């Protein structure tokens, strides 16, 4: 099937799919906001964020809020594009199977 060739394997993980879903509709979110929103442990979230960072779908910024460190994440242009293409493949797949 042609759509399978275009299916982005990065988004097979429901956690990565969830991360990109919230990051493409928000300017940026903190680690704690993502953790709470997606109901993930620190380690699980960190490993999926790292995987998305390595392929340049997201980027992070470290700063301080008073004396507390604050890490925020946002989707890159490439991440937005890859996610939109993935959603289009899913939509096409659904339409072909109706």
């Amino acid at each position: 099937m042609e759509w399978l060739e275009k299916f982005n394997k990065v988004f097979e993980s429901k956690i990565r799919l969830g991360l990109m879903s919230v990051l493409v509709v928000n300017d940026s979110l903190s680690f704690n906001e993502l953790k709470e929103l997606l109901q993930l442990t620190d380690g699980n979230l960190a490993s999926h964020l790292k995987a998305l960072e390595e392929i340049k779908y997201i980027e992070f910024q470290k700063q301080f809020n008073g004396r507390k460190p604050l890490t925020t994440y946002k989707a890159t242009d490439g991440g937005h594009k890859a996610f939109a293409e993935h959603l289009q493949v899913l939509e096409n797949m659904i339409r072909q199977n109706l």
Side-chain angles (χ1 to χ4, degrees):
M1 293 185 175
E2 180 183 318
W3 61 267
L4 272 177
E5 295 170 13
K6 297 179 181 177
F7 190 81
N8 191 329
K9 294 227 178 244
V10 170
F11 302 124
E12 280 183 355
S13 162
K14 68 181 181 179
I15 294 172
R16 291 182 196 157
L17 186 65
L19 281 167
M20 289 304 294
S21 295
V22 297
L23 288 174
V24 298
V25 297
N26 290 282
D27 289 334
S28 69
L29 291 170
S30 72
F31 184 90
N32 286 334
E33 289 170 322
L34 289 168
K35 184 174 114 173
E36 184 178 320
L37 191 61
L38 298 171
Q39 303 277 301
L40 299 170
T41 64
D42 287 2
N44 201 359
L45 176 57
S47 67
H48 287 284
L49 287 169
K50 182 175 170 80
L52 291 170
E53 286 170 42
E54 287 175 352
I55 56 174
K56 310 264 190 264
Y57 283 2
I58 65 171
E59 59 189 20
F60 68 92
Q61 181 179 23
K62 290 188 178 274
Q63 53 197 16
F64 283 89
N65 185 8
R67 291 184 178 212
K68 293 176 96 176
L70 177 67
T71 304
T72 55
Y73 295 85
K74 71 177 197 171
T76 62
D77 289 342
H80 277 276
K81 183 175 187 267
F83 191 69
E85 288 171 355
H86 182 72
L87 293 180
Q88 187 62 56
V89 168
L90 292 175
E91 187 176 323
N92 293 344
M93 178 186 74
I94 291 167
R95 288 177 189 223
Q96 289 176 0
N97 288 309
L98 290 178

